[in-house]
Amino acid sequence: VVVPKTYSKYTSRKVLTTGWIDGEKLSQSTASDVGDLVNVGVICYLKQLLDTGFFHADPHPGNLIRTPDGKLAILDFGLVTKLTDDQKYGMIEAIAHLIHRDYGAIVKDFVKLGFIPDGVNLQPILPVLAKVFDQALEGGGAKNFNFQELASDLAQITFDYPFRIPPYFALIIRAIGVLEGIALVGNSDFALVDEAYPYIAQRLLTDESPRLQSALRYTIYGKSGVFDAERFIDVMQAFENFITAAKSGGGESLNGRMAELGILQSQPNSIIPFPSSSAYQTEQPIQTRAALAFLLSDKGNFFREFLLDEIVKGIDALTREQLVQIMAYLGIGNAIPVFSMVPAALVPIRPAALVPYVTEEDRIILNNVQKVIQFLTAGAASNQGLEGANVPRVILELLPVLPGLAAKVLPEILSRLSSRVMARLIRDGLM
């Protein structure tokens, strides 16, 4: 992205003087990379909107230029708007609620964002907004959103309800509409949310704000509070797409080194030497899947932390499932008499507590764990699942980080597993 230099000496309140940039209007260019530059523009505007909070609010076709060397130039910062942290975080929270169609939460988001005045009765507005969003999401969900149509529908509500479009959001809709319009000319299948989601995923995964961490948890767990493996995979795939885009667009040189978020860093004091196997020296080096590398990194601490609960549930369910299968193989239909032979002095709980059982919830957990493992162990550009993974090479890549990871994670897993087992015994009245 190129922004022309501003010459302050020749600039006043009414005159903006900048450097000259050669190029052609992006909307009129026939170059093969126009689609890619539109995507660059989407990410650029999202970064202004949701990160820096300083927003170029006049992106009409004459202000978006393709330079001769294939870069996106943005001209004329004469109309800009600033966004507060509350507005930036509020929009990301609203996106998370929209994904789950939690319209009750979205109405509250609209109060925070200035669409609805404080103190207004939200009940009459809720069904109207729900209908608008249902229509917008129809036929493909959030990824088929048409923002210009949505803005028009929201504007209609202002005539009948205490609902208004804040000035800053009107500028945002205008900017997004221009980018969407340019893209649709060259690609009728363009979906703005599809292009924006990788950046949103990156913000949710890497921002340390408590509000965005809460939004990340909600995105994965939803209203029900139940871990959704499909949603987890969706977020991590979007994150990987962002890493790919950052690499191709020079993101490795930016503050925060965005392209490196998906690269494993070796532990400097690893007690396990990194093996040098000649069997792999002739092959093209590969990277561990970016999603897995991120989860094992320091920046993945928060996401990894709340995934530990799912790991513990999976270990607990898998252990009991294996015991049930062994008992079935041995022909033991009723195990209580067998476990009754265990002396009470050795185990201070009732014998029935030792009988393994697997619930429907356990089977859902195991299915989720299997999906997550298949996704994380597949190659960086592969959807082959476990059978497609080059296991020896993945292990070689993970060895340098495992000691540090084990020191942090294993004690926590054991502690949570013990607490989970004890809680189940107490719940079942067996202790």
Side-chain angles (χ1 to χ4, degrees):
V1 176
V2 179
V3 174
K5 177 182 177 181
T6 297
Y7 289 87
S8 301
K9 182 179 178 181
Y10 305 106
T11 294
S12 67
R13 178 68 184 84
K14 295 184 177 181
V15 178
L16 175 63
T17 306
T18 67
W20 179 266
I21 290 184
D22 286 313
E24 58 182 342
K25 290 182 180 179
L26 188 63
S27 59
Q28 296 177 356
S29 175
T30 57
S32 60
D33 59 0
V34 168
D36 292 335
L37 289 179
V38 168
N39 296 343
V40 167
V42 169
I43 299 300
C44 177
Y45 271 84
L46 284 170
K47 187 163 180 64
Q48 296 172 62
L49 177 63
L50 302 175
D51 188 358
T52 64
F54 187 73
F55 190 72
H56 179 284
D58 193 20
H60 62 73
N63 284 342
L64 298 174
I65 305 294
R66 181 192 180 277
T67 66
D69 58 349
K71 293 183 179 179
L72 173 67
I74 302 176
L75 311 181
D76 188 5
F77 282 75
L79 178 62
V80 296
T81 188
K82 290 185 178 180
L83 297 163
T84 65
D85 284 345
D86 206 40
Q87 290 168 335
K88 290 186 291 184
Y89 295 148
M91 281 187 277
I92 296 177
E93 288 168 339
I95 291 169
H97 294 143
L98 184 63
I99 290 171
H100 288 281
R101 301 196 184 206
D102 189 347
Y103 300 140
I106 289 176
V107 170
K108 294 177 182 177
D109 292 331
F110 276 1
V111 174
K112 295 178 187 175
L113 292 170
F115 287 79
I116 303 171
D118 283 320
V120 166
N121 181 7
L122 301 178
Q123 291 307 312
I125 305 176
L126 178 56
V128 179
L129 283 175
K131 182 178 179 181
V132 167
F133 282 112
D134 273 336
Q135 289 174 344
L137 291 167
E138 191 176 5
K143 293 187 177 181
N144 278 354
F145 235 56
N146 185 306
F147 278 90
Q148 295 181 70
E149 290 181 7
L150 174 64
S152 176
D153 290 339
L154 290 177
Q156 285 297 118
I157 298 177
T158 62
F159 293 109
D160 302 311
Y161 297 91
F163 184 91
R164 68 187 183 93
I165 307 293
Y168 77 90
F169 199 78
L171 293 173
I172 290 169
I173 290 173
R174 181 170 180 266
I176 289 175
V178 169
L179 288 168
E180 191 175 47
I182 294 173
L184 287 170
V185 169
N187 177 13
S188 59
D189 294 326
F190 178 83
L192 185 65
V193 176
D194 216 11
E195 300 302 330
Y197 196 45
Y199 177 81
I200 301 294
Q202 179 266 150
R203 280 301 304 280
L204 288 172
L205 288 167
T206 59
D207 197 296
E208 296 181 356
S209 157
R211 285 182 65 176
L212 290 198
Q213 290 182 340
S214 177
L216 172 61
R217 178 183 286 274
Y218 180 90
T219 300
I220 304 298
Y221 285 81
K223 290 184 287 186
S224 66
V226 176
F227 180 80
D228 187 331
E230 298 291 344
R231 191 75 66 192
F232 165 85
I233 292 171
D234 200 30
V235 169
M236 296 310 292
Q237 282 180 327
F239 173 75
E240 290 185 331
N241 290 339
F242 177 84
I243 296 297
T244 300
K247 288 177 181 176
S248 64
E252 68 277 0
S253 63
L254 299 178
N255 290 337
R257 307 187 73 82
M258 292 183 289
E260 293 183 3
L261 290 173
I263 300 175
L264 278 173
Q265 303 295 328
S266 298
Q267 300 289 328
N269 299 318
S270 173
I271 59 173
I272 301 179
F274 186 77
S276 176
S277 172
S278 59
Y280 299 111
Q281 289 177 355
T282 57
E283 295 185 29
Q284 181 70 24
I286 63 169
Q287 290 182 347
T288 298
R289 183 157 202 153
L292 178 59
F294 171 76
L295 288 173
L296 298 181
S297 72
D298 288 338
K299 283 189 174 290
N301 277 343
F302 174 74
F303 202 31
R304 186 171 67 241
E305 174 66 21
F306 73 71
L307 281 178
L308 282 178
D309 282 336
E310 303 309 315
I311 294 171
V312 168
K313 291 176 187 176
I315 293 172
D316 179 31
L318 183 62
T319 302
R320 285 181 284 117
E321 184 189 51
Q322 293 297 321
L323 285 173
V324 168
Q325 289 178 356
I326 291 171
M327 287 164 51
Y329 178 77
L330 296 175
I332 302 174
N334 181 7
I336 291 181
V338 176
F339 285 98
S340 296
M341 294 187 292
V342 178
L346 295 179
V347 184
I349 57 178
R350 287 157 54 185
L354 299 173
V355 180
Y357 63 93
V358 180
T359 66
E360 185 58 32
E361 179 190 0
D362 292 328
R363 299 193 190 284
I364 293 173
I365 290 169
L366 287 172
N367 185 47
N368 279 335
V369 170
Q370 182 182 27
K371 288 178 181 177
V372 170
I373 289 176
Q374 286 180 337
F375 168 73
L376 291 175
T377 54
S382 166
N383 291 315
Q384 304 172 74
L386 283 172
E387 68 275 8
N390 187 332
V391 176
R393 299 198 69 201
V394 170
I395 291 173
L396 284 176
E397 290 184 329
L398 293 180
L399 278 177
V401 301
L402 287 179
L405 181 68
K408 295 183 213 173
V409 175
L410 286 182
E412 184 65 20
I413 288 178
L414 293 174
S415 173
R416 294 189 189 194
L417 185 60
S418 173
S419 298
R420 178 175 172 81
V421 172
M422 293 298 292
R424 188 174 66 252
L425 295 176
I426 293 171
R427 180 195 66 200
D428 294 345
L430 300 171
M431 285 195 69

